[in-house]
Amino acid sequence: MVSEALTGTVLQELRRLESGPRGLTDAEATARLAAVGENTPPHPHAPSWAVRWARGLRDPFTAVLLTLGLVSACVASWGTATVILTLVAVGCVLRAAGERRADRALAALRNLLAGTATVLRRTDDTAPPRALEVPLTDLVPGDIVRFGPGDLVPADVRLLRARGLTVRQAALTGESAPVAKAAADPPGPGAQPESHLCFQGSVVVAGSATAVVVATGPRTRFAAAQRAPERREPSAFDRSVHGIARVLVRFMLLTPPLVLMAGAALRGRGLETLPFAVAVAVGLTPEMLPVIVTTCLARGAALLARSHRVVVRRLPALHDLGAIDVLCVDKTGTLTQDRPVLARSLGPDGRDDPEPLHWAATAAWWTLQLAELPTPDALDEALLKTATDTGAEHAGEHGAGYGEERGEQRGGGYGWGCDGGYDGIAALPVGPGRRLATAVLAGPLGRHLLVTKGAPEDVLDRCDLPAAERQRLLGLAAREAAAGQRVLAVATAERAARTRPYTPADERGLTFRGLVTFREELTPGAPESLRTLTGLGITVHILTGDHPGTAAHACRDLGLAPGEVRVAAEGAGSLAGTATAAAGSTTVVARCTPEDKARLVGELRAAGHTVGFLGDGVNDVPALLAADVGLAPRGAVAVARESADVVLAAKDLTAIGHAVTAGRHSSANIASYLRVTLSSNLGNVLAMLAAGLLLPFLPMLPVQVLAQNLCFDAAQLAFALDRPDARALRRPTVLRPPSFLRFITGFGLLNAVADLATFGILALAPHGSGTLADQTVFHSAWFTENLLTQALVMLLLRTGHRGAQGGRPGPVGWAAALLAAVALALPAGPPGTALGMTALPVACHLPLAAVLALYALALTAAKSRHDRRLVRPGVP
């Protein structure tokens, strides 16, 4: 269909589609939907189990394990190779299962974010068209659609009318620069061949348009291209885990050569030590990390969606939610309702005067009509509603007819009495970097009337006024803004009638008419939500395009203390220095452009903060993409929703606090797993390396090392189901590699001391009469002691340790108890015999119990000391 739309005229295209400017009837749309199907691009098939399993091998720890298993097989150490490859296979299967569950959960949540499009539909052939919001999936070829700034083009369309339309179609072409579009018959040779077409997946940057749908679903250009999404900058979670992984992988790769060289130099054992060296390297690997991470994040995202209607569109964003320590918010539409209410209409003398309201409403009406805007913006809507409610100025005969025909379609019921009795000629709407709009009206014979409204500074700059008068009027506008009002200035000018187009250069020599002010209402729940966030240790900054006085007033209404109010154009500077200001203090940066917001967010990230940004407009998109976590309410413009990592499906700002808590919950469990497994594994590895150099035999057989590792890994799966203590949820949870590695090094050394103490007791007090019996008892005792110390570490090093949960052992408590039972029972059973172990003599129990008791006391004391020193957010 798109290729045919390239060659025909507009009338030919409408005739081919059996449609017209008034749109389809409801019956026609229903029949076409049944015939062509829903407007959804073909989703790529879900990866098979084999593909998911193979993708698990890309994890750095899994890849190292696979390499070690293959090395063991090459030297015919079949037992070691079998256990390692089993670990790899089980880990990949568990990860694939978790990813499949996560994908299914996210797919089920997409219905919460179903977008809509503005279409013209009729009840029957004789009924007038009406503008409707319908789901994107219900669009059909022949539908007449309207879209404006911030909208996503809902299907492949042929433009019927367009005004100042530019779109970004990077999803199709890879080019980030906006492309101009115009409603015209196919251009001639040498011109852009597709300038009269817009394609699904494009984003409207500026302007507005009315178009006819020519292709939907799998027949669109986007469905045929199916480009991969742009690669985002690594998230805070990715940066943290990768930093830790790099250090551990290097250590793992160094371990086997060091053990081999030491064995050859001191004991002359050479390659026979290789299986043990490989097993020791495997013992340091957190092979269950991908499984734990996927399970924790998927469970948290599903719970958020069910309980609070918060949709996490990118799973790692849930961790980043828990890590944010700075939240930047746009004010309008998020903290305050984007439905301002008219407050006053003031003349140039500052007294109440209805004339500025009359001119502003007239300009809003004709701008809405002539600029092809799908809906009025918030301030225009308030102007039109007030003009309608007060019956301002009956329209002339032509104007009334125009209003009845078009106001019902697009003006939201503002068709009567809002056009001021004039005929519209042209409109210059608000655009990027432009804070005013002008409507050109047909005035007295041979004259045109320009009506301009917008930011007071911009309008007054275009008025013919003495400098002193301009300063007086700016002061008047500033006083109204300082009182918490949003202010529009209104000016007019007469020009000789002409046929050539009007441009912003014509907005000069205006006559100032007055000011129109609006008050804003807070979004329900916003004050409580922000108090909750500050109570969670999150610093809130407000970045807004509004006047600084308006922003500061709204900040106070929200219960926030505006500690500093800046203006972006005056050099707001970096926010990084104020992000750690006193609790409850909020920095307000006013008059922010989209680039200013993105820059300030980037500065905060560069200073080491994890930053969230909450916005809902097209001007918020750069900041949403620049932040660690972009958040948008469901009512945000389509491009903002698509750019966000987290969508508040019910536009309930109190859900942000729940989302942050859920993120910290998942992050705390992941941190618990890492701190427990790495500190315990590091201690065991150091002890085994030392014992391997001192003993005349291997301190533990390779298969025993791997079996111990397998038991420990299985027990640690319980961390995905754990419930951290409330204390762990009171501050941002960030895995900072330097401090995290210091933690596991300190507690790993403590674990190594306990292991070496066990080694000393067993070496100095051997049991049995022969060397082989001594080795078997030694191996069995150390196997048991290692698993028991690991059970202790699981209980005592959890994030926010709380003992029992509600009087019952939590999942981790039960898992630790089961691990301890395996440690005591396995050596004496048939599995222990197969692994080369035996039941421990009674004489071993008392010294092992003493070592464990002393280790538990030392671990508790070290943990308490660490918690007391924990004064910075983000320390693991």
Side-chain angles (χ1 to χ4, degrees):
M1 284 189 178
V2 177
S3 61
E4 296 177 15
L6 288 171
T7 58
T9 65
V10 170
L11 290 177
Q12 289 172 337
E13 186 64 27
L14 290 173
R15 189 177 299 115
R16 184 182 65 79
L17 293 168
E18 298 180 359
S19 183
R22 298 199 305 158
L24 302 174
T25 65
D26 294 335
E28 289 172 337
T30 301
R32 295 189 186 195
L33 183 62
V36 303
E38 293 186 340
N39 178 35
T40 55
H43 295 293
H45 293 294
S48 64
W49 273 97
V51 172
R52 291 183 188 274
W53 187 90
R55 286 196 315 203
L57 299 177
R58 294 182 302 182
D59 178 76
F61 295 122
T62 305
V64 170
L65 277 182
L66 181 61
T67 302
L68 295 175
L70 295 176
V71 169
S72 300
C74 290
V75 298
S77 179
W78 302 115
T80 302
T82 299
V83 176
I84 292 177
L85 295 178
T86 300
L87 283 173
V88 170
V90 170
C92 288
V93 168
L94 290 175
R95 180 174 185 172
E99 288 181 349
R100 185 168 180 269
R101 285 195 300 270
D103 288 347
R104 292 174 63 184
L106 288 177
L109 297 175
R110 289 193 184 103
N111 290 333
L112 292 174
L113 301 179
T116 61
T118 303
V119 302
L120 294 185
R121 293 274 176 86
R122 295 172 291 149
T123 55
D124 54 53
D125 288 331
T126 60
R130 66 194 191 284
L132 298 176
E133 290 290 320
V134 302
L136 293 179
T137 54
D138 290 351
L139 287 183
V140 295
D143 262 329
I144 305 299
V145 297
R146 292 192 175 114
F147 42 82
D151 289 340
L152 293 173
V153 177
D156 287 357
V157 300
R158 168 73 180 266
L159 296 174
L160 301 180
R161 292 188 296 273
R163 184 172 295 274
L165 182 66
T166 58
V167 302
R168 183 175 285 114
Q169 47 192 24
L172 290 166
T173 65
E175 299 177 3
S176 59
V179 178
K181 299 287 185 177
D185 285 337
Q192 290 292 332
E194 298 180 342
S195 61
H196 61 306
L197 300 174
C198 290
F199 302 103
Q200 185 181 49
S202 302
V203 177
V204 180
V205 177
S208 57
T210 299
V212 59
V213 175
V214 297
T216 60
R219 293 163 294 280
T220 62
R221 183 78 60 86
F222 181 76
Q226 282 296 325
R227 291 175 55 91
E230 294 183 11
R231 186 178 297 274
R232 287 187 58 135
E233 191 176 335
S235 67
F237 175 71
D238 293 331
R239 296 194 302 269
S240 300
V241 172
H242 290 168
I244 297 169
R246 282 192 294 268
V247 175
L248 293 177
V249 168
R250 293 190 189 110
F251 191 81
M252 290 165 56
L253 294 177
L254 285 174
T255 299
L258 290 176
V259 174
L260 286 174
M261 289 187 293
L266 298 179
R267 301 293 177 187
R269 289 196 284 251
L271 285 178
E272 68 186 52
T273 313
L274 180 60
F276 175 72
V278 169
V280 169
V282 171
L284 188 63
T285 309
E287 52 267 83
M288 290 295 107
L289 178 60
V291 178
I292 298 291
V293 168
T294 302
T295 304
C296 285
L297 297 181
R299 291 182 72 250
L303 181 62
L304 267 179
R306 287 196 307 269
S307 303
H308 306 292
R309 295 180 61 79
V310 175
V311 179
V312 180
R313 303 179 68 242
R314 182 177 59 86
L315 278 184
L318 185 60
H319 166 272
D320 296 342
L321 266 175
I324 61 172
D325 56 342
V326 176
L327 178 66
C328 298
V329 299
D330 177 53
K331 179 181 67 65
T332 305
T334 51
L335 301 181
T336 60
Q337 295 189 61
D338 200 7
R339 295 194 302 272
V341 178
L342 185 73
R344 300 180 69 188
S345 177
L346 305 174
D349 58 359
R351 298 179 181 177
D352 291 334
D353 185 344
E355 186 181 25
L357 171 60
H358 159 72
W359 289 119
T362 301
W365 167 252
W366 284 112
T367 301
L368 174 65
Q369 305 304 320
L370 298 174
E372 298 291 344
L373 299 175
T375 57
D377 69 13
L379 295 183
D380 284 351
E381 187 173 16
L383 287 169
L384 297 174
K385 184 177 187 304
T386 303
T388 300
D389 291 345
T390 57
E393 296 295 334
H394 285 275
E397 181 178 353
H398 177 80
Y402 194 94
E404 290 177 15
E405 178 182 352
R406 301 189 67 182
E408 184 180 2
Q409 298 172 17
R410 187 172 63 254
Y414 305 115
W416 184 86
C418 295
D419 62 2
Y422 293 93
D423 284 338
I425 302 297
L428 303 173
V430 174
R434 175 178 162 83
R435 300 189 300 164
L436 48 79
T438 296
V440 182
L441 312 177
L445 184 63
R447 307 293 289 176
H448 284 171
L449 180 66
L450 276 66
V451 183
T452 300
K453 61 181 178 61
E457 298 91 335
D458 295 56
V459 173
L460 287 169
D461 281 344
R462 291 161 174 78
C463 289
D464 188 8
L465 291 170
E469 179 66 6
R470 180 178 288 105
Q471 289 301 316
R472 183 187 71 81
L473 293 173
L474 285 173
L476 174 62
R479 285 193 297 274
E480 293 297 321
Q485 311 293 328
R486 297 178 68 179
V487 183
L488 278 182
V490 185
T492 63
E494 277 197 12
R495 299 283 190 269
R498 71 189 198 200
T499 57
R500 61 185 175 88
Y502 282 88
T503 69
D506 294 304
E507 298 167 333
R508 292 289 184 272
L510 306 179
T511 300
F512 183 74
R513 294 290 186 176
L515 302 174
V516 180
T517 67
F518 305 83
R519 66 178 185 273
E520 292 186 302
E521 297 183 7
L522 301 182
T523 299
E528 297 175 3
S529 173
L530 293 177
R531 281 195 294 271
T532 299
L533 292 173
T534 54
L536 291 171
I538 297 175
T539 302
V540 177
H541 295 317
I542 294 179
L543 313 181
T544 178
D546 278 348
H547 186 281
T550 303
H553 189 276
C555 195
R556 285 188 288 269
D557 288 344
L558 290 163
L560 300 174
E564 187 174 359
V565 180
R566 305 177 181 178
V567 177
E570 297 175 357
S574 173
L575 290 176
T578 61
T580 55
S585 179
T586 300
T587 297
V588 177
V589 182
R591 296 300 192 202
C592 279
T593 65
E595 293 74 19
D596 289 329
K597 295 179 182 180
R599 174 180 59 82
L600 293 170
V601 168
E603 289 175 355
L604 288 166
R605 292 187 66 190
H609 298 283
T610 304
V611 185
F613 184 88
L614 172 66
D616 72 338
V618 65
N619 61 325
D620 297 321
V621 170
L624 287 168
L625 295 174
D628 288 289
V629 186
L631 302 100
R634 187 180 184 181
V637 297
V639 67
R641 276 201 317 272
E642 293 298 317
S643 302
D645 302 301
V646 178
V647 178
L648 313 178
K651 198 172 182 179
D652 178 10
L653 293 183
T654 60
I656 299 177
H658 297 300
V660 169
T661 301
R664 293 183 182 180
H665 187 142
S666 298
S667 300
N669 286 345
I670 294 170
S672 289
Y673 166 74
L674 283 173
R675 72 197 306 177
V676 166
T677 192
L678 294 180
S679 58
S680 178
N681 289 353
L682 179 62
N684 288 339
V685 165
L686 294 176
M688 286 185 182
L689 291 177
L693 297 177
L694 298 175
L695 287 176
F697 54 85
L698 293 178
M700 197 179 292
L701 298 179
V703 70
Q704 295 168 353
V705 176
L706 296 174
Q708 171 190 280
N709 198 48
L710 183 60
C711 293
F712 191 34
D713 285 341
Q716 289 181 105
L717 290 174
F719 281 113
L721 308 174
D722 196 23
R723 295 179 57 191
D725 186 81
R727 292 174 297 174
L729 308 179
R730 294 174 187 164
R731 63 178 185 275
T733 307
V734 182
L735 304 176
R736 301 188 188 277
S739 56
F740 200 92
L741 292 172
R742 285 195 298 271
F743 177 92
I744 64 174
T745 300
F747 284 91
L749 290 174
L750 182 60
N751 183 273
V753 169
D755 285 349
L756 290 175
T758 303
F759 154 65
I761 291 174
L762 296 175
L764 297 176
H767 301 275
S769 56
T771 303
L772 181 60
D774 291 345
Q775 292 182 30
T776 303
V777 171
F778 188 95
H779 293 160
S780 304
W782 206 348
F783 181 92
T784 300
E785 186 270 346
N786 275 342
L787 284 185
L788 291 174
T789 57
Q790 287 169 336
L792 283 174
V793 169
M794 285 182 64
L795 289 174
L796 299 179
L797 289 192
R798 294 159 55 200
T799 300
H801 166 60
R802 58 184 289 174
Q805 300 178 20
R808 302 189 305 267
V812 173
W814 285 114
L818 183 60
L819 183 63
V822 169
L824 295 172
L826 190 145
T833 303
L835 294 173
M837 292 186 289
T838 186
L840 294 181
V842 177
C844 283
H845 293 166
L846 183 59
L848 287 179
V851 171
L852 289 171
L854 292 173
Y855 176 61
L857 290 175
L859 196 62
T860 302
K863 177 68 163 48
S864 299
R865 182 171 179 269
H866 174 270
D867 289 345
R868 287 195 299 271
R869 295 176 58 190
L870 190 63
V871 294
R872 293 197 318 271
V875 179

